Amino acid sequence: MAAEQSAEQFRGQARLPGFAAPRRYDLRLAPDLAACAFAGSVAVDLHVAAPTRFLVLNAAELDVAPGGVGFAPAGSGQVLQPVEVTNVPEDEILIICFNEVLPLGEGTLTIEFQGTLNDKMHGFYRSVYELNGEKKNMAVTQFEPADARRCFPCWDEPAFKAVFKITLEVPSETVALSNMPVTEEKVNGPTKTVYFQESPIMSTYLVAVIVGIFDYVEDFTTDGTRVRVYTQVGKSAQGKFALEVALKTLVLFKEYFAVPYPLPKMDMIAIPDFASGAMENYGLVTYRETALLFDEKHSAAANKQRVAVVVAHELAHQWFGNLVTMEWWTHLWLNEGFATWVSYLAADQFFPEWNVWTQFLEESTTGFKLDALAGSHPIEVDINHVDEIDEIFDAISYRKGASVIRMLQSYLGAEVFQKSLAAYIKRFAYSNAKTEDLWAALEEGSGEPVRTLMHSWTKQQGYPVVSVKLKDGKLQLEQTQFLSSGSTGVGQWVVPITLCCCSYSHQEKFLFHGKQEDFDLSGLMECQNKENFWIKLNVNQTSFYRVSYDEELASRLRYAIETNKLSAADRYGTLPISSLKCFGLYPLQLLLHCYCLTGVLDDTYALCMAGKQKLVSLLHLIAAYKDETEYTVLAQVITISLNIAEMMAVAAPEELGNLKKFLIDFLEPFAQKLGWDAKSGEGHLNALLRGTLLTALAELGHEATINEAVRRFNVFLEDRETPLLPPDVRKAAYVALMQTVNKSNKTGYESLLKIYRETDLSQEKVRVLGSLASCPDPVVVREALDFILSPEVRNQDAIFLLRGVCSGAHEVAWQWLKENWDYILGAYSGTLLTYFVNITVSPLATDEKGDEAEEFFKSRTKASIARTVKQSIERVRINAQWVKSIKAEADLGNVIRAHAHKQ
């Protein structure tokens, strides 16, 4: 009953009460760019659905004067004044209490407020840029997941969709942008009032406002939608590539979703200070400069690919997220997992030579790594407080989410999946949906039991390893959960099995429900009778599980491997058996090697960490890839090789020199083949591989690579336009240069700082930051870490320097984090704060450091990083366990020396 309501009942709740809901916001904002403040007013048309004396909505870090609040019931001709307006900072809510029960039906709530343009990169904040050598502030919004409340009082939950009429009062020389086109501007001396067209219905987290001075490039889609890329003045040419991608993407997604892009314009803008990669605000997408701008002379191939994929990702959200919106953050993965998957679909359509679906395996690998922790979480995770939301913007929601979408699409078939998806979009357009709604649409369109299949993948954490053997014409399968700790999990999944037999023209698919099951393969008997019979599960590596073959099936794969019968993705996921036999690894020993999702190398690496496989087996396997030609495979070989070197530095430092020699000898022929300079007509993947190879050789201390890098760098330092150091190899040269630096000779370090300070290209700054802490001298590493906290480094870019800390300095970084924690906790928030914890703590590799981290965070953690702290400490325990396992390998030293000195 309304008479029994009290303000206390609204405190500490996960969600806002549902007795009133917004229909329309008339929002006016007046940012003061010089004073870093803003004033505003909002008139919210409400529908009061149940008797109440209270209105409860979200507000945070806003000054709301009780005298500026009123409620006008529709048609009453009166304005009700509240008897009390209570701000509850811990719950980020505003409780407005009236003396009488509000009339049911429509009414308008008006609120006047003031706030600060903060420097935290969320809410309504300021970003600093330069114009004609003078530093200026721009005003920017970043509202996802729950920061619209820091700009204006609102019902700041995805399900409370409404239309928005936005008006801005801004300096007359600035450009004012919002979700919709400008309808009118009125100049009044030094200020102007900008009126925007009313938006379609949307959630508060998608509202956007930006004020500053910008250049732009523009074009129109074939159906007349205006597309612009806004940049800082003088950088508009760097927006041309993103513009080209956007034009094609809007047309592609219009066809794929069978629904036109809903808005009259699409603006994309590069923001100098931006916490995430990009944000899909309806009609006004915001990006980091590194994710939107591409400089033909000074951006690398990797930068180009990132721009294309990120633009496609954000534009996919205009349908999947904006037009159809998740009901609550539990279903975040619907937004992010799908947009990640479909961004690869777009990139493959526009740039087939990039082979992005093979590169997609790296997305799956990242999801695997997190989901193999006991501290992982289901794709659908309960959110009970706003502080918990930021932490689920992680590899589970994005990478695992994308992987299970791809798995489902592969199982149902591309055409059925696309048509069902289009039906889902039409059914839930301009409203909200839950995961179950998507499953219902796909089940209806396909006739397959999608709900049953997918519930096991989204409602429980983890993933299975499927062991397989063939007996009497039947395929015998068994599934177990994989955990990096080596423990046995209890999870069980409905696994969509796809398999091919002897060729890709002989394929079967079925669902594996139980712990152990047999499947009749009589339909493939003709294939089984062939002399060179082989069978491959998880065709083209499209599913999120690992596969282990028995001795017989593993041996039968030999023909397919040796005669190159498998696709690139399946070659990536299949063990080169014949190569390993020369190292004494026979089929029985290969049982666990033959998993097939993110590639056997990554699987074997995971098994080593879990104590299920010896490191010597992994080293033999690396050696077997000496003739590999696929970029994605070699990139994974390099990543794992460098990780092994990190662990060896702790477990067996006396063998580290020989290990590095083995790895250098393995990598050097690839680097010699590619060289430092691009060849005429060379492909995109060669450009990616060149930089990856040379950077790895530099990190391993390869003298010839370091000397050549320093020679080229010295020319570049004097002439930034020299062809001797193109963008694809600059990071390698910078890392190589830092190998020559120590506390007594910091010339190379100072030269990199000079480049950092002189360039205005964000991608160049990031390359430098990612190299500064790669020096083997801990004193220099500490100086580089201190540089993070200087005003010269934008908060968003700190993670690049942290990620570049050399393998021997992780404890230096940990000590630095502890000493600066109070400052970091105050200066950083959201996902940036979780990165500090994850990147710094996770590489530690002793139980003592694990205990130290637990003790440190016991009194210093908070809800927004609690999950990340737990996961990071679990990784330390896993590393420590692996170190002990490596120390126990009696033959490890002999094997490493044999590889290192092999003629």
Side-chain angles (χ1 to χ4, degrees), residues 622-755:
I622 289 171
Y625 283 89
K626 60 184 177 61
D627 297 319
E628 182 55 58
T629 59
E630 181 68 35
Y631 159 73
T632 306
V633 180
L634 281 172
Q636 188 69 349
V637 171
I638 290 167
T639 298
I640 290 172
S641 297
L642 295 175
N643 289 343
I644 293 170
E646 286 195 19
M647 288 301 107
M648 286 293 292
V650 180
E654 70 281 1
E655 297 296 344
L656 187 58
N658 282 323
L659 176 67
K660 286 185 176 182
K661 184 180 185 306
F662 158 53
L663 295 176
I664 287 170
D665 289 347
F666 171 80
L667 295 175
E668 191 175 12
F670 297 109
Q672 287 178 343
K673 182 178 179 181
L674 283 175
W676 279 82
D677 301 304
K679 304 188 174 49
S680 178
E682 179 178 86
H684 174 79
L685 296 177
N686 276 356
L688 294 180
L689 182 57
R690 176 178 291 105
T692 303
L693 275 169
L694 293 173
T695 302
L697 284 168
E699 290 180 9
L700 291 168
H702 183 226
E703 188 174 345
T705 298
I706 292 171
N707 290 341
E708 180 62 15
V710 171
R711 182 185 76 82
R712 290 171 178 258
F713 176 82
N714 287 334
V715 177
F716 175 72
L717 193 60
E718 298 302 319
D719 175 14
R720 305 298 163 82
E721 301 300 322
T722 178
L724 280 179
L725 203 62
D728 291 318
V729 297
R730 266 182 220 164
K731 173 71 178 296
Y734 297 166
V735 169
L737 180 69
M738 287 304 300
Q739 307 313 299
T740 70
V741 172
N742 56 54
K743 62 184 178 182
S744 301
N745 177 15
K746 295 195 294 183
T747 303
Y749 178 81
E750 291 161 355
S751 295
L752 284 181
L753 286 181
K754 176 180 171 65
I755 291 171

Side-chain angles (χ1 to χ4, degrees), residues 524-829:
L524 295 176
M525 283 304 296
E526 179 183 348
C527 175
Q528 293 177 51
N529 294 329
K530 289 183 178 180
E531 180 181 353
N532 295 315
F533 161 75
W534 55 267
I535 193 167
K536 169 74 174 62
L537 268 69
N538 192 11
V539 177
N540 287 324
Q541 308 303 109
T542 55
S543 295
F544 198 76
Y545 57 89
R546 304 185 189 275
V547 182
S548 168
Y549 299 92
D550 75 349
E551 180 177 346
E552 180 185 358
L553 289 177
S555 65
R556 287 184 176 275
L557 276 171
R558 184 185 315 152
Y559 169 78
I561 298 164
E562 292 175 342
T563 57
N564 200 25
K565 297 293 185 182
L566 302 186
S567 68
D570 283 336
R571 283 192 289 111
Y572 181 75
T574 307
L575 181 66
I577 299 168
S578 58
S579 298
L580 289 182
K581 278 196 169 182
C582 66
F583 295 111
L585 291 178
Y586 292 92
L588 186 60
Q589 295 168 277
L590 298 179
L591 178 62
L592 293 177
H593 282 280
C594 295
Y595 298 158
C596 292
L597 180 57
T598 60
V600 68
L601 186 66
D602 182 67
D603 295 333
T604 308
Y605 173 56
L607 288 164
C608 282
M609 292 188 71
K612 304 293 186 182
Q613 191 73 286
K614 287 186 176 183
L615 178 57
V616 293
S617 300
L618 182 54
L619 295 176
H620 289 322
L621 182 55
I622 289 171
Y625 283 89
K626 60 184 177 61
D627 297 319
E628 182 55 58
T629 59
E630 181 68 35
Y631 159 73
T632 306
V633 180
L634 281 172
Q636 188 69 349
V637 171
I638 290 167
T639 298
I640 290 172
S641 297
L642 295 175
N643 289 343
I644 293 170
E646 286 195 19
M647 288 301 107
M648 286 293 292
V650 180
E654 70 281 1
E655 297 296 344
L656 187 58
N658 282 323
L659 176 67
K660 286 185 176 182
K661 184 180 185 306
F662 158 53
L663 295 176
I664 287 170
D665 289 347
F666 171 80
L667 295 175
E668 191 175 12
F670 297 109
Q672 287 178 343
K673 182 178 179 181
L674 283 175
W676 279 82
D677 301 304
K679 304 188 174 49
S680 178
E682 179 178 86
H684 174 79
L685 296 177
N686 276 356
L688 294 180
L689 182 57
R690 176 178 291 105
T692 303
L693 275 169
L694 293 173
T695 302
L697 284 168
E699 290 180 9
L700 291 168
H702 183 226
E703 188 174 345
T705 298
I706 292 171
N707 290 341
E708 180 62 15
V710 171
R711 182 185 76 82
R712 290 171 178 258
F713 176 82
N714 287 334
V715 177
F716 175 72
L717 193 60
E718 298 302 319
D719 175 14
R720 305 298 163 82
E721 301 300 322
T722 178
L724 280 179
L725 203 62
D728 291 318
V729 297
R730 266 182 220 164
K731 173 71 178 296
Y734 297 166
V735 169
L737 180 69
M738 287 304 300
Q739 307 313 299
T740 70
V741 172
N742 56 54
K743 62 184 178 182
S744 301
N745 177 15
K746 295 195 294 183
T747 303
Y749 178 81
E750 291 161 355
S751 295
L752 284 181
L753 286 181
K754 176 180 171 65
I755 291 171
Y756 180 87
R757 288 163 177 152
E758 291 178 354
T759 185
D760 68 345
L761 184 68
S762 295
Q763 291 161 352
E764 190 69 73
K765 287 183 180 291
V766 165
R767 277 195 284 266
V768 173
L769 288 175
S771 309
L772 288 176
S774 64
C775 175
D777 189 324
V779 175
V780 178
V781 172
R782 178 61 191 245
E783 184 174 339
L785 290 168
D786 288 340
F787 184 61
I788 287 177
L789 306 181
S790 75
E792 292 189 73
V793 179
R794 295 183 188 269
N795 281 8
Q796 69 193 30
D797 292 335
I799 58 171
F800 297 107
L801 199 151
L802 284 171
R803 284 174 177 162
V805 170
C806 76
S807 60
H810 291 310
E811 292 188 9
V812 174
W814 167 232
Q815 184 64 32
W816 173 86
L817 182 76
K818 290 188 294 180
E819 292 175 9
N820 291 281
W821 180 249
D822 290 341
Y823 174 83
I824 291 167
L825 199 59
Y828 300 85
S829 60

Side-chain angles (χ1 to χ4, degrees), residues 129-132 213-215 231-236:
Y129 65 109
E130 283 196 11
L131 181 65
N132 300 323
I213 299 175
F214 311 109
D215 278 347
T231 71
Q232 291 186 56
V233 173
K235 292 187 176 184
S236 61

Side-chain angles (χ1 to χ4, degrees), residues 1-276:
M1 296 291 291
E4 299 172 353
Q5 288 178 316
S6 70
E8 286 303 310
Q9 76 185 75
F10 306 117
R11 295 173 181 262
Q13 301 299 310
R15 306 278 292 267
L16 293 172
F19 46 64
R23 295 289 184 261
R24 180 182 184 274
Y25 292 83
D26 190 338
L27 175 63
R28 296 180 67 95
L29 294 169
D32 186 330
L33 300 180
C36 298
F38 64 92
S41 65
V42 64
V44 190
D45 294 341
L46 299 176
H47 177 75
V48 180
T52 178
R53 293 187 302 113
F54 291 87
L55 292 175
V56 182
L57 64 162
N58 294 112
E61 300 168 13
L62 295 175
D63 181 12
V64 176
V69 180
F71 179 75
S76 69
Q78 61 175 328
V79 177
L80 304 178
Q81 301 298 322
V83 293
E84 186 177 18
V85 177
T86 304
N87 179 36
V88 187
E90 61 270 25
D91 294 320
E92 299 183 348
I93 59 173
L94 195 67
I95 304 174
I96 304 171
C97 177
F98 295 90
N99 229 354
E100 57 192 273
V101 176
L102 301 180
L104 297 183
E106 310 307 311
T108 301
L109 173 68
T110 56
I111 304 175
E112 296 177 358
F113 54 90
Q114 294 180 324
T116 300
L117 290 174
N118 69 73
D119 61 354
K120 306 297 184 185
M121 293 185 286
H122 62 227
F124 201 13
Y125 73 93
R126 64 184 183 268
S127 177
V128 179
Y129 65 109
E130 283 196 11
L131 181 65
N132 300 323
E134 178 185 356
K135 287 192 175 182
K136 289 183 172 290
N137 291 325
M138 67 174 70
V140 183
T141 55
Q142 169 59 39
F143 290 163
E144 190 181 32
D147 291 310
R149 63 192 68 181
R150 286 175 169 76
C151 181
F152 61 100
C154 57
W155 278 256
D156 200 13
E157 295 179 4
F160 287 114
K161 283 190 163 186
V163 298
F164 290 82
K165 180 72 173 71
I166 294 175
T167 304
L168 300 179
E169 297 176 21
V170 300
S172 56
E173 73 276 9
T174 61
V175 175
L177 302 172
S178 189
N179 306 86
M180 301 299 289
V182 174
T183 59
E184 185 181 6
E185 284 192 9
K186 293 182 180 178
V187 178
N188 183 19
T191 64
K192 64 181 177 182
T193 304
V194 184
Y195 303 88
F196 294 91
Q197 183 179 326
E198 188 168 280
S199 77
I201 188 171
M202 64 182 185
S203 303
T204 50
Y205 79 89
L206 297 169
V207 175
V209 167
I210 298 172
V211 181
I213 299 175
F214 311 109
D215 278 347
Y216 67 84
V217 289
E218 76 170 3
D219 205 339
F220 294 83
T221 64
T222 52
D223 54 2
T225 301
R226 191 198 76 198
V227 183
R228 286 180 178 174
V229 176
Y230 285 88
T231 71
Q232 291 186 56
V233 173
K235 292 187 176 184
S236 61
Q238 296 176 28
K240 290 181 179 178
F241 176 68
L243 179 63
E244 293 170 6
V245 172
L247 291 167
K248 291 188 287 188
T249 301
L250 288 174
V251 172
L252 174 67
F253 289 163
K254 172 189 172 182
E255 296 172 357
Y256 190 81
F257 297 123
V259 174
Y261 172 62
L263 302 186
K265 60 94 173 175
M266 166 51 67
D267 292 334
M268 306 192 299
I269 183 166
I271 306 298
D273 299 282
F274 199 76
S276 56

